[in-house]
Amino acid sequence: MAKKVQRRAASRRKLQLLRTLTNSKSVTRRSIILNVLLHFHKLKVKLEEIQREYQNLMAIRNEYFNLLKHIQIPKEVKVEKLGEDQFVVKVRCNRGGDKLVSIVEAFEELGLNVVRARVCCNHFFAMEAIVVAQDQQTTKTKDVTQAILKAIDKQGGERILVT
């Protein structure tokens, strides 16, 4: 008899828990179970909707990255003189090859030291650097621009935009 009472109490606790989880106002066992099944069905529909939305977003993302692969960015080289022997060099072009190595080699050939540089190669190659002449030699912005363009051209031909 005590086991029967314990089972009944455990059954009531479980039904009460189900009522609480599903925000059900039902009192009878049958309607509570129906509400739980309805709640499960709604959760399943929501999950399927989220999965569809995720798949759509992933398809859009993949299409975006595919388009980025085919974009041709024109070469852009901008050299500004900061002081007597300092230059700010900004370069943008398609990524691929050893462009950074070629540009640094061009700086070495001109006798320029890189003081600070920031490079990004996510979807295209971009670099911004501050360079300083080693031996107080007079280096012109045009010479630096031409050397960088020549270094980039080693890696492959592209459209050129010089500013």
Side-chain angles (χ1 to χ4, degrees), residues 77-112:
V77 177
K78 187 175 184 180
V79 179
E80 298 173 1
K81 198 160 189 157
L82 276 182
E84 187 77 26
D85 57 349
Q86 285 188 339
F87 298 95
V88 174
V89 179
K90 296 179 183 179
V91 178
R92 246 181 73 179
C93 59
N94 287 326
R95 74 177 198 183
D98 294 329
K99 290 185 173 62
L100 180 61
V101 173
S102 298
I103 292 171
V104 171
E105 287 173 352
F107 287 154
E108 285 179 4
E109 289 172 9
L110 290 173
L112 299 173

Side-chain angles (χ1 to χ4, degrees), residues 40-52:
F40 282 159
H41 178 70
K42 287 180 181 179
L43 288 175
K44 181 181 173 188
V45 168
K46 280 184 184 179
L47 180 63
E48 289 170 352
E49 182 181 331
I50 290 170
Q51 286 175 333
R52 276 193 306 274

Side-chain angles (χ1 to χ4, degrees), residues 12-26 32 35-36 39:
R12 272 193 237 122
R13 280 195 305 269
K14 290 176 185 174
L15 283 174
Q16 183 60 36
L17 180 64
L18 288 175
R19 279 182 63 194
T20 305
L21 290 174
T22 60
N23 294 328
S24 175
K25 305 292 184 220
S26 302
I32 292 171
N35 282 340
V36 167
H39 186 72

Side-chain angles (χ1 to χ4, degrees), residues 3 39 43 59 68 75 102 106 138-139:
K3 286 185 180 183
H39 186 72
L43 288 175
L68 280 177
K75 279 189 271 187
S102 298
T138 50
T139 306

